């Protein structure tokens, strides 16, 4: 029992790092995603082209390769990242590609008529975006983002490969001294499950909280 | 000086000519109605006036200001209200915010001033009680009245109506026409595209019949409905009486 509790507290310490990795990656990913989506929806053809190439490439490379390129590759240009930072950059870049597609779909589902009405009132393009398109697109994005939250959360475990002491690595340390792999890894799995379940509940609460009365929330799923 | 002057307005999509030289003008407080078959360019013409659609050629003067040469078109759009067939209310905003957002964010009035202005205009359309509702919670007729209040709140010189009742169930049309009738009596300058011929007869100061991107003829409702000069006008209007109904 004592072993169980001490293991649990170590794993929970690791899960704090996991949460930090997840939140930071999603946050920076979201910021990049907004710009990628803007370029795709409103940009001139060449901006649209660059954004689309960026998004397609990042969606097709395994996350481990992105991490290795950033962690091991960048030092050859004299840029050396801390493992945690390298993991966040990698996860954020990859997530931005997926989030951009969710946000792009959401932007496109704001009706043209509303945009026209906003312009007819004398709003500038920027005012129309900030007051009309953006607030609705964010709401449309919440539900399809659930999936993305879960995927990024689970993929933080790959930061293990860079030596980030997140949940899985903490678990592995315990295994290496206690030889209880099944128990310890089950505990790790349980923590992931609880976090995923909690996140999903939280997101669906947010979805209700910010729902526009009478409007179904629509958007793209990660495919 | 005329409130609105439109001279030789032209617009093509690809090689398709939609407006081929439209000219007319409007005085302050005048109610002008544009009628004509669908696909004739009526909506395009309205959108050219505030340059939501960019005209290819022609001149538009609002109170003598050259709309085509405006350095900031947003300044001119503030003076031209627009009411849409599909309402185009902002779905994520309450009724109050839909009406208030123009004065607040575009004219940058203080919040309490903008709120008062919005409530005043909601009163004009009989919807103060729905101020806190969202568009999806309203009937079509109520939505369109909010659309009208939203345009009115900018205190425009002119309001353009593009088939404001065409998307409405028949039983909801009257409440919208009633609001428009009141506006006409209050001296609002209105340019209206509609197929509600009974309403046109009653409130129009002048009727313009448009077909295939051209103005075929224009005149008082009496002239257009009772004694049109052109055969095309006569034929168009015949559709509305053929079945013993004047829509
Ligand atoms: N954005 C557009 N692109 C191409 N063609 C258009 C566009 N908007 C309108 N049209 C065409 O212009 C013509 C006139 O349209 P419209 O102004 O909507 O007519 P109305 O309002 O009289 O029904 C139609 O043939 C329509 O198909
Ligand atoms: Mg039309």
């Amino acid at each position: 029992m004592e072993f169980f509790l001490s293991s649990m507290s170590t794993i929970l310490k690791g899960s704090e790092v996991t949460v930090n990795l997840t939140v930071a990656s999603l946050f920076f990913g979201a910021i990049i995603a907004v710009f990628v989506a803007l370029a795709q929806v409103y940009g001139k053809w060449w901006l649209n082209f660059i954004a689309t190439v960026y998004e397609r490439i990042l969606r097709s490379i395994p996350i481990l390769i992105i991490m290795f390129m950033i962690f091991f590759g960048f030092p050859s240009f004299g840029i050396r990242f801390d493992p945690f930072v390298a993991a966040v950059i990698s996860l954020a870049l990859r997530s931005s590609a997926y989030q951009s597609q969710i946000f792009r779909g959401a932007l496109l589902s704001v009706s043209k008529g509303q945009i026209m009405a906003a312009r007819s009132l004398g709003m500038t393009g920027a005012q129309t975006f900030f007051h009309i398109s953006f607030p609705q697109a964010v709401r449309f994005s919440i539900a399809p983002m659930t999936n993305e939250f879960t995927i990024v959360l689970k993929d933080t475990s790959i930061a293990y490969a860079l030596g980030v002491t997140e949940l899985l690595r903490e678990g592995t340390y315990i295994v290496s001294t206690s030889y209880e792999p099944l128990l310890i890894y089950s505990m790790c799995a349980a923590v992931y499950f609880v976090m995923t379940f909690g996140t999903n509940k939280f997101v669906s609460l947010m979805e209700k909280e910010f729902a526009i009365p009478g409007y179904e929330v629509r958007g793209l799923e990660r495919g | 000086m005329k409130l609105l002057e439109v001279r030789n307005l032209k617009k093509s999509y690809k090689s398709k000519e939609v407006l081929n030289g439209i000219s007319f003008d409007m005085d302050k407080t005048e109610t002008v109605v544009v009628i004509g078959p669908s696909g004739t360019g009526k909506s395009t013409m309205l959108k050219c006036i505030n340059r939501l659609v960019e005209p290819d050629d022609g001149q538009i003067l609002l109170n003598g200001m050259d709309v085509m040469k405006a350095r900031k078109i947003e300044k001119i759009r503030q003076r031209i209200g627009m009411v849409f067939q599909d309402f185009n209310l902002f779905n994520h905003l309450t009724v109050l915010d839909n009406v208030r957002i123009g004065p607040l964010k575009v004219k940058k009035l203080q919040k309490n001033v903008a709120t008062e202005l919005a409530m005043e205009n909601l009163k004009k359309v009989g919807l103060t009680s729905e101020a806190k509702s969202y568009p999806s919670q309203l009937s079509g007729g109520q939505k369109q009245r909010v659309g009208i209040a939203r345009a009115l709140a900018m205190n425009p010189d002119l309001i353009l109506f593009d088939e404001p009742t065409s998307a409405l169930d028949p039983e909801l049309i009257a409440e919208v026409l009633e609001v428009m009738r009141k506006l006409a009596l209050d001296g609002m300058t209105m340019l209206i595209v509609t197929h509600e011929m009974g309403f046109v007869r009653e409130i129009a100061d002048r009727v313009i019949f448009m077909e295939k991107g051209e103005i075929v003829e224009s005149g008082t409702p009496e002239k257009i409905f009772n004694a049109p000069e052109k055969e095309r006008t006569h034929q168009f209007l015949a559709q509305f009486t053929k079945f013993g109904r004047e829509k």
Side-chain angles (χ1 to χ4, degrees):
Chain A
M1 192 61 197
E2 203 170 307
F3 167 69
F4 178 85
L5 286 179
S6 78
S7 304
M8 199 41 147
S9 94
T10 310
I11 290 174
L12 286 178
K13 214 169 65 200
S15 64
E16 193 188 322
V17 177
T18 294
V19 169
N20 291 343
L21 276 173
T22 308
V23 171
S25 305
L26 284 169
F27 176 76
F28 292 113
I31 292 177
I32 303 169
V34 169
F35 288 101
V36 174
L38 278 175
Q40 288 186 327
V41 177
Y42 301 116
K44 295 249 161 56
W45 71 267
W46 54 271
L47 251 180
N48 183 343
F49 180 76
I50 293 170
T52 304
V53 168
Y54 168 86
E55 168 245 315
R56 292 288 148 80
I57 288 179
L58 278 161
R59 289 210 295 173
S60 53
I61 308 176
I63 183 67
L64 192 56
I65 296 186
I66 303 178
M67 281 191 190
F68 281 175
M69 282 169 74
I70 290 183
F71 188 63
F72 298 115
F74 271 65
S76 47
F77 307 123
I79 306 170
R80 194 172 298 279
F81 294 112
D82 174 77
F84 180 88
V85 174
V88 168
I89 294 174
S90 313
L91 289 165
L93 287 178
R94 213 255 317 238
S95 184
S96 75
Y98 284 99
Q99 290 191 55
S100 71
Q101 294 319 287
I102 293 172
F103 195 65
R104 173 173 164 271
L107 269 180
L108 290 173
S109 55
V110 177
S111 68
K112 289 239 161 56
Q114 290 181 65
I115 311 265
M116 198 160 50
R119 301 311 295 266
S120 82
L121 288 174
M123 282 192 200
T124 60
Q127 285 175 323
T128 305
F129 178 75
F130 284 114
H131 298 306
I132 309 302
S133 311
F134 187 75
Q136 294 186 65
V138 167
R139 284 173 175 83
F140 291 149
S141 300
I142 296 176
M145 280 292 281
T146 314
N147 235 348
E148 186 59 24
F149 286 5
T150 310
I151 290 169
V152 172
L153 173 66
K154 287 187 294 193
D155 282 358
T156 56
S157 66
I158 299 170
Y160 175 102
L162 303 187
V164 180
T165 37
E166 40 66 72
L167 206 168
L168 184 60
R169 183 164 284 270
E170 292 286 14
T172 305
Y173 284 151
I174 305 171
V175 170
S176 68
T177 56
S178 69
Y179 310 106
E180 288 276 12
L182 188 61
L183 174 68
I184 299 298
Y185 288 131
S186 301
M187 285 164 72
C188 292
V191 172
Y192 276 115
F193 176 79
V194 169
M195 289 195 291
T196 304
F197 189 78
T199 308
N200 289 1
K201 273 275 167 283
F202 176 73
V203 173
S204 76
L205 265 176
M206 296 303 276
E207 198 188 327
K208 292 213 181 70
E209 180 67 28
F210 290 105
I212 302 162
Y215 276 82
E216 294 296 318
V217 185
R218 297 161 291 167
L220 288 182
E221 296 276 304
R222 181 165 182 159
Chain B
M1 184 173 57
K2 295 285 180 185
L3 181 94
L4 177 73
E5 290 178 60
V6 175
R7 294 277 161 264
N8 199 29
L9 190 63
K10 290 188 178 172
K11 176 71 189 175
S12 305
Y13 287 112
K14 298 269 160 56
S15 58
K16 187 179 191 296
E17 269 214 329
V18 177
L19 300 176
N20 30 23
I22 298 279
S23 303
F24 67 95
D25 41 41
M26 287 179 71
D27 286 317
K28 205 164 157 36
T29 78
E30 217 182 357
T31 300
V32 175
V33 174
V34 180
I35 58 173
S38 76
T40 274
K42 305 182 298 296
S43 298
T44 304
M45 192 260 289
L46 289 191
K47 286 179 205 154
C48 280
I49 291 174
N50 61 2
R51 283 174 60 195
L52 285 177
V53 165
E54 204 57 52
D56 297 334
D57 196 13
Q59 201 183 22
I60 302 164
L61 301 176
L62 181 76
N63 279 323
M65 285 179 297
D66 193 331
V67 175
M68 297 303 295
K69 296 207 178 90
R71 221 161 35 84
K72 284 191 74 181
I73 187 61
E74 284 82 9
K75 280 276 170 223
I76 297 210
R77 288 193 185 133
Q78 291 179 33
R79 317 214 56 79
I80 305 178
M82 195 161 207
V83 174
F84 303 86
Q85 179 172 346
D86 301 321
F87 328 123
N88 295 338
L89 298 184
F90 307 128
N91 291 327
H92 62 306
L93 300 179
T94 60
V95 164
L96 174 62
D97 280 324
N98 263 277
V99 179
R100 182 168 59 182
I101 195 165
L104 191 62
K105 301 296 181 188
V106 178
K107 285 192 163 173
K108 305 215 156 54
L109 299 184
Q110 289 201 331
K111 188 151 187 179
N112 57 341
V113 180
T115 306
E116 208 169 298
L117 194 62
M119 290 308 287
E120 231 168 72
N121 284 293
L122 280 173
K123 191 166 172 209
K124 281 190 197 158
V125 301
L127 282 175
T128 43
S129 61
E130 298 292 338
K132 291 199 172 74
S133 303
Y134 282 84
S136 60
Q137 298 167 324
L138 304 179
S139 72
Q142 290 175 322
K143 283 183 196 171
Q144 194 56 295
R145 281 145 65 198
V146 175
I148 295 172
R150 175 174 69 182
L152 282 173
M154 292 299 285
N155 204 3
D157 295 333
L158 161 73
I159 302 184
L160 312 171
F161 292 81
D162 193 0
E163 302 199 32
T165 59
S166 292
L168 297 179
D169 292 335
E171 72 273 18
L172 300 176
I173 291 176
E175 64 187 63
V176 172
L177 296 184
E178 182 52 38
V179 167
M180 292 171 66
R181 191 176 289 123
K182 256 196 294 180
L183 288 181
L185 290 177
D186 280 356
M188 176 51 77
T189 314
M190 307 199 284
L191 180 60
I192 306 170
V193 174
T194 183
H195 299 294
E196 295 294 328
M197 297 304 171
F199 175 72
V200 177
R201 259 181 205 275
E202 185 194 336
I203 74 151
D205 295 310
R206 195 146 44 90
V207 178
I208 293 175
F209 172 59
M210 240 178 99
E211 193 179 48
K212 301 208 177 98
E214 287 171 355
I215 292 181
V216 176
E217 70 175 295
S218 68
T220 61
E222 291 75 35
K223 182 201 145 195
I224 297 292
F225 287 106
N226 302 338
E229 283 168 15
K230 301 278 169 39
E231 181 54 26
R232 284 154 77 186
T233 315
H234 185 77
Q235 274 174 7
F236 173 73
L237 288 169
Q239 300 169 44
F240 292 87
T241 48
K242 206 159 35 186
F243 306 107
R245 63 173 186 149
E246 229 181 47
K247 254 190 32 170

